Amino acid sequence: MTDAVHVDEQLLGRYVAELGAIGETPDGMYRFMYDAAWQRARDTLLRWIADAGLEPRVDAVGNVFGRLPGSGDGGVVLTGSHVDTVPSGGRYDGALGVVGGLAALAALRAHGTPATTLEVVALCEEESSRFPANFFGTRAMLGLVGPDEPDRLRDRDGTTMAEAMRGAGLDPAAVGAAERHDLRAFLELHIEQGRVLADEGTDIGLVEVIPGIAWETVTVRGRQDHAGATPMDLRADALQAAAQMARELTSVVEREGRPAVATTGRWTVEPGQPSVVPGLVRFSLDLRHPDLAVRDRLLDEVHRTCADVARRHGVEVDVVRDKDEEPAVMDAGLLDVLRGSAEACGASWRRMPSGAGHDSQLMATRVPTAMLFVPSVEGRSHTPAEYTTPEDCVRGASVLATALHRLAW
Amino acid sequence: MTDAVHVDEQLLGRYVAELGAIGETPDGMYRFMYDAAWQRARDTLLRWIADAGLEPRVDAVGNVFGRLPGSGDGGVVLTGSHVDTVPSGGRYDGALGVVGGLAALAALRAHGTPATTLEVVALCEEESSRFPANFFGTRAMLGLVGPDEPDRLRDRDGTTMAEAMRGAGLDPAAVGAAERHDLRAFLELHIEQGRVLADEGTDIGLVEVIPGIAWETVTVRGRQDHAGATPMDLRADALQAAAQMARELTSVVEREGRPAVATTGRWTVEPGQPSVVPGLVRFSLDLRHPDLAVRDRLLDEVHRTCADVARRHGVEVDVVRDKDEEPAVMDAGLLDVLRGSAEACGASWRRMPSGAGHDSQLMATRVPTAMLFVPSVEGRSHTPAEYTTPEDCVRGASVLATALHRLAW
């Protein structure tokens, strides 16, 4: 076994700070795929990759790679994460895995030429913040992007993904060229985005499973009426019914207890005027549990609850499943390598499920994959308050570097 | 007393249909002050006014007038209503009072020259659908528009009212020129927008009082967190708290019973992503009761309820009063004239409060004012389903014409 590989704390700190300043606003991070901030992040990463002595490359969809070529032809060990953010997001989600991987490869250059080629990647559109195209960068690498997606998918301003790609210097017709068949393993460093590690004082989380997320859109149709002239007892107010659904479905999930979670995060209320009784409400439901059977039982209960509320309120409800992911199990062999690397680095560790979804869950369907978590202060994430200490950042990147060393040399 | 004056049912029907086609979409009427549809409506009304032998005029803010000059110099008896709509609105709200008034003046031309000058008006921006400038047209006539309003107020796209005025051929610096000091009386024909008349089978509603509307914005601040990694028991979800507030404040008003109404019609949920626990929610509250003391007691109770929910949910709540209107009492003498005119026309009538707010409530603070309602089928309003039968439209316009005849000859 090799000893620990230590990444440069100052270099990593600079990466985190400078990447975190790109797309940052008083209201948090806004770095959406192919927009101006995203392009600046891409260009900055390419410069850092070259400065670190790695080979820079952008693929057909905008994934950014830095390559440390190996002496053998045994494929590629890949590490990285995503560079896009949620709206009003933080500096660490995704970004830490990118710059941590880059700092790891920069540190490994001092160890000479690896047997196996190493690459770091900054994946695009993990969050689907701009386009309804979750894991777009990973899907492109795995050949899972439909040929019509760039022309079909639009952002909220009506811009097609194809137009946005051209604006970022990419050819939407070339999406297929991003497909890779040479990946041997994928390791993703990420912040926990929850408070388990921070509360326990544990350094590293070894992710065993990523829960399958169900996303649904609940549409409630009532009757649009005048707010002054329609007595309360004659209304079919879509908002009041939807509010009651949101409360009752939350109770269903709260009764189940941890780790079940449900979130109603996106709301559209029409016509959206103070003086008009809402006729239509759409809200999103995000429901997660690592056990697929439990998740689906909860969804059934939520659907019965919504139907029952609709009946009581005299409105119609309609639920559409937008996303339905299987839980993803991480590779046991890679987890062993990460565990040994944590111990070599003197880091405490625990096995745990992920709360959030990650590129790794899709990568795991084709390539042996594992994730490691570092603590999130107060468990905050998807908010500007997201924070991981410099010590935890460099510890996670060093565990990653050590694992890559064990895998590639 | 004069006999009944009957307006031309075919002419009125054509006005309703043609004006109703301007700004109509598959999703209802969208005719917002100074937009393209509004300008087409203005131009169409000016043509109809001229065709009816009346003197057309547009004032400094875009109110459209048709004048039937009288022989005396005793000021002007004005009738009319507004020409702007709520989003996804109907064909009758406001519009009927404009074209009904126009048809009434067209019918009265056959009666020779009145002693008192008559005018019909199409007022702009009653609904504040485009700019936060409720009753803008009426306020301009009464000298109640602040000199900074055109430059200060913006629509949702960020366009200032001044820019929009220039786009409609108006000079924002000339707003003061719209002020009138010659108004002797104002009569407004309007659809009921409720179901009292339709349910009873009564032809005409004589409005005694317009309730004072309170508009408030409720802002709920929780903690924005990751939807997957934040256990339910650690959340401070602004949406869940706001939904509970909306439900409980509705219960407060439902317990009070008719005619108290409360509506939560406009919602903003931030950041508005399925995978993010909402950190901030803003919703509008519209609360009405004809008795100001009852209304204010209900508001107090609503505020206590929201504060209590906020405490239970661990979030902060903040309530701002956006609008606070006094109830407006209609002129008893004018109501007597309307009652006599209804009887002359063979129409059944009842006295009633208005459910909705109207230009008349502001006009009544300076000028003797009265309103008459015609039935709304199923009480529907502020929706494309809004409908009043041609018989009810012409009956209302004839009662109006008869009243104008009694006032001006």
Side-chain angles (χ1 to χ4, degrees):
Chain A
M1 284 295 113
T2 52
D3 289 335
V5 179
H6 293 289
V7 312
D8 182 336
E9 182 164 350
Q10 280 202 319
L11 180 72
L12 182 58
R14 184 167 71 81
Y15 285 163
V16 167
E18 292 186 18
L19 182 58
I22 300 175
E24 195 171 50
T25 75
D27 188 34
M29 301 287 300
Y30 287 80
R31 200 162 57 219
F32 292 176
M33 183 167 71
Y34 304 145
D35 74 5
W38 180 93
Q39 293 184 44
R40 277 195 291 136
R42 174 198 61 193
D43 296 343
T44 302
L45 288 168
L46 287 169
R47 198 176 69 240
W48 290 343
I49 287 166
D51 288 350
L54 306 172
E55 298 172 2
R57 185 173 72 86
V58 179
D59 76 4
V61 297
N63 293 319
V64 175
F65 295 89
R67 184 176 173 102
L68 178 58
S71 56
D73 54 2
V76 171
V77 171
L78 183 68
T79 189
S81 189
H82 60 95
V83 76
D84 60 295
T85 71
V86 292
S88 185
R91 289 181 157 204
Y92 296 84
D93 176 6
L96 180 66
V98 174
V99 294
L102 177 52
L105 262 60
L108 287 167
R109 270 200 77 224
H111 293 253
T113 301
T116 307
T117 298
L118 290 172
E119 292 188 25
V120 59
V121 64
L123 297 158
C124 52
E125 194 64 303
E126 190 256 3
E127 303 284 4
S128 66
S129 297
R130 179 163 183 190
F131 297 100
N134 224 213
F135 305 134
F136 186 70
T138 298
R139 287 195 290 119
M141 290 176 63
L142 300 180
L144 300 174
V145 171
D148 63 331
E149 278 189 57
D151 283 316
R152 181 168 50 81
L153 301 179
R154 290 176 186 274
D155 66 14
R156 289 188 187 193
D157 297 331
T159 305
T160 65
M161 184 190 278
E163 289 162 353
M165 289 185 83
R166 280 188 286 267
L170 297 166
D171 174 9
V175 162
E179 191 170 346
R180 299 280 295 259
H181 296 281
D182 57 348
L183 302 180
R184 173 189 282 186
F186 180 61
L187 291 182
E188 185 174 6
L189 168 65
H190 209 281
I191 58 169
E192 181 196 339
Q193 309 182 269
R195 57 196 303 159
V196 173
L197 295 175
D199 283 3
E200 283 188 357
T202 302
D203 298 328
I204 298 287
L206 305 175
V207 177
E208 294 181 300
V209 60
I210 302 174
I213 301 175
W215 273 10
E216 298 187 329
T217 298
V218 181
T219 303
V220 182
R221 287 188 174 78
R223 201 174 55 233
Q224 179 177 326
D225 274 315
H226 191 287
T230 314
M232 301 305 281
D233 51 295
L234 294 176
R235 297 182 177 197
D237 185 327
L239 183 279
Q240 289 292 323
Q244 186 65 23
M245 289 175 197
R247 295 297 296 135
E248 293 195 20
L249 74 83
T250 297
S251 296
V252 166
V253 173
E254 284 173 346
R255 277 197 299 275
E256 176 70 25
R258 293 194 189 187
V261 284
T263 305
T264 54
R266 174 181 283 167
W267 286 68
T268 310
V269 178
E270 294 181 5
Q273 289 285 310
S275 63
V276 187
V277 178
L280 187 142
V281 174
R282 282 201 175 83
F283 66 89
S284 64
L285 170 66
D286 172 313
L287 197 148
R288 310 185 193 200
H289 194 285
D291 183 332
L292 198 60
V294 176
R295 194 203 73 180
D296 288 347
R297 172 172 56 71
L298 288 172
L299 282 170
D300 284 346
E301 225 175 305
V302 163
H303 298 162
R304 279 195 301 274
T305 298
C306 289
D308 182 49
V309 172
R311 215 163 18 243
R312 274 148 44 205
H313 283 251
V315 301
E316 286 173 23
V317 65
D318 172 52
V319 182
V320 173
R321 184 79 51 97
D322 300 316
K323 180 154 86 172
D324 188 356
E325 291 166 353
E326 301 275 319
V329 179
M330 300 291 100
D331 184 81
L334 290 176
L335 284 172
D336 268 353
V337 173
L338 285 172
R339 182 186 47 73
S341 302
E343 289 170 356
C345 292
S348 60
W349 58 270
R350 62 165 289 163
R351 297 182 183 274
M352 63 189 299
S354 171
H358 296 286
D359 286 296
S360 283
Q361 72 195 70
L362 195 62
M363 209 65 93
T365 63
R366 305 290 179 94
V367 177
T369 295
M371 289 193 81
L372 67 161
F373 279 168
V374 288
S376 293
V377 171
E378 289 179 11
R380 309 296 306 281
S381 185
H382 283 190
T383 151
E386 191 175 87
Y387 184 62
T388 293
T389 66
E391 297 71 31
D392 283 330
C393 288
V394 78
R395 188 183 290 115
S398 294
V399 172
L400 175 66
T402 305
L404 293 171
H405 193 220
R406 291 178 180 208
L407 290 168
W409 264 264
Chain B
M1 285 295 111
T2 51
D3 288 338
V5 179
H6 292 288
V7 313
D8 182 335
E9 181 165 351
Q10 279 202 322
L11 179 74
L12 182 58
R14 182 166 74 78
Y15 284 163
V16 168
E18 291 186 18
L19 183 57
I22 299 174
E24 195 170 51
T25 74
D27 189 33
M29 299 289 298
Y30 288 79
R31 201 162 55 216
F32 292 176
M33 183 166 70
Y34 305 144
D35 74 4
W38 180 92
Q39 293 185 45
R40 277 196 291 137
R42 174 198 60 193
D43 298 343
T44 301
L45 287 168
L46 287 170
R47 198 176 69 243
W48 290 344
I49 286 165
D51 289 349
L54 306 171
E55 296 173 4
R57 184 173 73 86
V58 179
D59 76 5
V61 296
N63 294 318
V64 175
F65 294 89
R67 183 176 174 102
L68 178 58
S71 55
D73 54 3
V76 171
V77 170
L78 183 68
T79 188
S81 189
H82 61 95
V83 74
D84 60 295
T85 71
V86 292
S88 186
R91 290 181 156 203
Y92 296 84
D93 177 5
L96 180 64
V98 174
V99 296
L102 177 53
L105 263 60
L108 286 167
R109 272 200 75 225
H111 293 252
T113 300
T116 306
T117 296
L118 292 172
E119 290 189 27
V120 59
V121 63
L123 296 158
C124 50
E125 194 64 300
E126 190 257 2
E127 304 282 6
S128 67
S129 297
R130 180 165 182 188
F131 297 100
N134 223 212
F135 306 135
F136 186 70
T138 297
R139 287 195 292 118
M141 290 177 64
L142 300 179
L144 300 173
V145 171
D148 64 330
E149 279 190 56
D151 282 317
R152 184 169 47 84
L153 301 179
R154 290 176 186 274
D155 66 13
R156 290 190 187 192
D157 297 331
T159 305
T160 65
M161 186 190 276
E163 290 162 354
M165 289 183 83
R166 282 189 284 267
L170 297 165
D171 175 8
V175 162
E179 191 171 346
R180 299 280 295 259
H181 295 281
D182 57 348
L183 301 181
R184 172 187 283 186
F186 180 61
L187 291 182
E188 185 174 6
L189 167 66
H190 208 282
I191 57 169
E192 182 196 339
Q193 307 181 272
R195 57 196 303 158
V196 174
L197 294 176
D199 282 3
E200 285 187 355
T202 301
D203 297 328
I204 298 289
L206 304 176
V207 177
E208 293 181 301
V209 59
I210 303 174
I213 301 175
W215 272 10
E216 297 187 329
T217 298
V218 181
T219 302
V220 182
R221 286 187 175 79
R223 201 174 56 236
Q224 179 176 325
D225 273 316
H226 191 287
T230 314
M232 301 305 281
D233 50 297
L234 295 176
R235 297 183 177 196
D237 185 328
L239 183 278
Q240 289 292 323
Q244 187 65 23
M245 288 175 198
R247 294 297 297 135
E248 293 195 19
L249 74 84
T250 297
S251 295
V252 166
V253 173
E254 285 173 345
R255 278 196 300 273
E256 177 69 26
R258 293 194 190 189
V261 285
T263 305
T264 55
R266 173 181 285 168
W267 286 68
T268 310
V269 179
E270 293 181 4
Q273 289 286 310
S275 62
V276 186
V277 178
L280 187 143
V281 174
R282 280 201 176 85
F283 67 87
S284 64
L285 170 66
D286 172 313
L287 197 147
R288 311 187 192 199
H289 195 285
D291 183 332
L292 198 61
V294 176
R295 193 203 74 179
D296 288 347
R297 172 171 57 69
L298 289 171
L299 282 170
D300 284 346
E301 225 175 306
V302 163
H303 298 162
R304 279 196 301 275
T305 299
C306 289
D308 183 50
V309 172
R311 216 163 18 243
R312 275 148 45 205
H313 283 251
V315 301
E316 286 172 22
V317 67
D318 171 54
V319 182
V320 173
R321 184 78 52 96
D322 300 317
K323 181 155 84 172
D324 188 356
E325 292 166 352
E326 301 275 318
V329 179
M330 300 292 101
D331 184 81
L334 289 176
L335 284 172
D336 267 353
V337 173
L338 285 172
R339 181 185 48 71
S341 301
E343 288 170 356
C345 290
S348 59
W349 57 271
R350 62 165 288 162
R351 296 180 184 275
M352 63 190 299
S354 172
H358 296 287
D359 286 296
S360 283
Q361 72 195 68
L362 196 60
M363 208 66 95
T365 63
R366 305 290 180 96
V367 178
T369 295
M371 289 194 78
L372 68 161
F373 279 168
V374 289
S376 292
V377 171
E378 290 180 10
R380 309 297 306 280
S381 186
H382 282 191
T383 151
E386 193 175 84
Y387 183 62
T388 293
T389 66
E391 296 71 30
D392 283 329
C393 288
V394 78
R395 187 182 291 115
S398 294
V399 172
L400 175 66
T402 303
L404 293 171
H405 193 218
R406 290 176 179 208
L407 290 168
W409 265 265

